[in-house]
Amino acid sequence: MFNALIVEKDAEGKTSASVQQIGLDRLPEADVTVAVDYSTVNYKDGLCVGPGGGLVRNYPHIPGIDFAGTVETSSDPRYKAGDKVVLTGWRVGEAHWGGYSQKARVKADWLVPLPAGLTTRQAMAVGTAGFTAMLAVMALEDHGLKPGNGPVLVTGAAGGVGSVATAILAHLGYEVAAVTGRPETADYLKTLGATQIVAREDLAETVKRPLEGEVWAGCVDAVGGAMLARVLGQMKYGASVSAVGLAGGAALPATVIPFLLRGVNLLGIDSVMRPYADRVRAWDRIAKDLPMAKLESMVRPAVLSDLPQLGADILKGQVQGRVVVDVNA
Ligand SMILES: NC(=O)c1ccc[n+]([C@@H]2O[C@H](COP(=O)([O-])OP(=O)(O)OC[C@H]3O[C@@H](n4cnc5c(N)ncnc54)[C@H](OP(=O)(O)O)[C@@H]3O)[C@@H](O)[C@H]2O)c1
């Protein structure tokens, strides 16, 4: 028997989450069984621990879109007992049972070997949020961003994606401007390497003019909505925005003028279905370009029973940095 956070739905459609003991026979059929060390909390986890957000297919459900741990058994030749592995995405924790559990059973195709130089705890301090932040930075680099081009904007900076993006960009030598709606996080963001703090309200409203002054050499955007529309009109000529998230809304009230007159690029970033080769490349870059002391400064530790509250908090934008869940504590 082992512990897992189980979400159940009652006859009225209301969900509730609690830590329960279950047996291995309850896990879904798949080729690799993993003893989970750590998981984490992303925005999507908030939805899956709580109302479901249209992501969870069946109840009872075990959320947790990320986990890192040790292979116990594998019928796939790529993995053997004792291997350290990381999982992010593939709709694990949404359509499939996830990492808020001491054991998980998944397809070998979904796993990545733990990159050299990272512990399972550090991998979950990164999690989907950090992995996606690295994909976003890599996309900007692939489209010509270099230190010295000018300031790079990070929106939703005190959140998970934003915190890791800020730390990576600063480590790579970029000047980072961090947008936050929580002024009290300014010192935290400066510790991560931000040199400029931009108040959320400065970018929250749409303006009639489709183009403003050219300010940003690149942008990692976790917010979307009106803020993304506004930022597009402030990009330097030929610069790119990595569109990662929708914490501020899914609608994009923008014009095409920044694309046509300034050659601005809007780059879509998906972490969930990302091919294996890209995953390995991104995890290797994380091991190399994310300073571990800064990563540790973002971490708040948690246990399985903290997850219902943390899930509600992240949906309200109240979680700072990255939560690491010790599923065995
Ligand atoms: N594309 C992908 O594959 C992928 C992967 C991971 C995450 N995501 C998405 O990326 C976004 C961020 O994820 P996360 O895990 O970093 O979540 P998070 O920790 O909650 O961070 C989101 C941050 O956005 C800001 N924010 C929240 N509500 C806002 C609003 N109404 N207007 C403006 N800013 C707001 C807050 O930052 P401040 O307090 O600093 O303002 C908040 O901390 C989510 O939408 C998530 O679904 C996408």
Side-chain angles (χ1 to χ4, degrees):
M1 300 294 280
F2 57 90
N3 293 329
L5 186 86
I6 310 255
V7 183
E8 292 166 304
K9 198 174 203 172
D10 67 19
E12 277 110 54
K14 198 167 172 295
T15 58
S16 59
S18 60
V19 179
Q20 298 180 22
Q21 287 224 314
I22 62 167
L24 273 176
D25 57 327
R26 294 274 307 274
L27 290 179
E29 285 299 310
D31 22 34
V32 187
T33 304
V34 179
V36 178
D37 292 339
Y38 297 98
S39 186
T40 177
V41 180
N42 298 277
Y43 190 85
K44 259 188 189 173
D45 292 311
L47 292 172
C48 295
V49 169
L55 302 174
V56 178
R57 276 195 200 145
N58 298 305
Y59 291 91
H61 177 65
I62 299 180
I65 69 168
D66 302 330
F67 64 75
T70 309
V71 172
E72 279 197 344
T73 57
S74 170
S75 58
D76 186 286
R78 285 169 289 179
Y79 295 100
K80 58 178 191 323
D83 288 350
K84 301 279 182 198
V85 288
V86 185
L87 183 142
T88 65
W90 300 113
R91 303 215 57 210
V92 169
E94 310 170 34
H96 313 280
W97 278 11
Y100 291 169
S101 174
Q102 291 178 297
K103 311 269 182 197
R105 198 178 283 142
V106 293
K107 287 188 184 173
D109 287 347
W110 298 341
L111 294 167
V112 171
L114 184 72
L118 284 189
T119 63
T120 50
R121 185 176 180 281
Q122 287 166 334
M124 284 301 99
V126 175
T128 282
F131 172 68
T132 310
M134 181 48 96
L135 292 173
V137 171
M138 285 163 50
L140 295 180
E141 290 174 340
D142 291 345
H143 285 78
L145 181 66
K146 289 190 178 53
N149 287 12
V152 178
L153 192 71
V154 176
T155 69
V161 172
S163 292
V164 180
T166 299
I168 292 170
L169 286 163
H171 182 73
L172 291 171
Y174 292 96
E175 194 187 323
V176 182
V179 185
T180 185
R182 290 180 277 179
E184 67 277 14
T185 63
D187 286 345
Y188 162 75
L189 292 168
K190 284 182 183 156
T191 310
L192 298 183
T195 48
Q196 189 184 339
I197 307 296
V198 180
R200 187 190 291 178
E201 57 265 27
D202 289 354
L203 291 172
E205 281 178 23
T206 44
V207 287
K208 284 222 173 78
R209 282 176 302 148
L211 294 177
E212 299 180 70
E214 296 183 40
V215 185
W216 315 114
C219 173
V220 174
D221 175 52
V223 170
M227 188 176 292
L228 173 56
R230 183 81 189 270
V231 166
L232 286 171
Q234 299 183 351
M235 300 306 293
K236 284 179 185 273
Y237 190 90
S240 303
V241 177
S242 285
V244 173
L246 41 58
L252 184 55
T255 76
V256 295
I257 300 299
F259 309 130
L260 310 188
L261 297 192
R262 286 207 184 138
V264 168
N265 305 303
L266 183 56
L267 312 174
I269 305 298
D270 169 60
S271 64
V272 178
M273 308 306 286
R274 202 73 177 198
Y276 181 78
D278 282 7
R279 289 176 186 268
V280 172
R281 185 175 156 231
W283 277 109
D284 283 349
R285 284 286 308 271
I286 286 165
K288 190 166 131 261
D289 290 329
L290 175 59
M292 290 303 139
K294 281 192 184 166
L295 181 67
E296 190 55 40
S297 73
M298 297 173 207
V299 168
R300 163 175 171 190
V303 297
L304 284 177
S305 57
D306 296 328
L307 286 165
Q309 185 59 49
L310 285 167
D313 290 347
I314 201 162
L315 293 183
K316 287 186 254 157
Q318 287 172 354
V319 170
Q320 176 178 308
R322 303 281 304 124
V323 176
V324 173
V325 183
D326 182 347
V327 301
N328 299 300

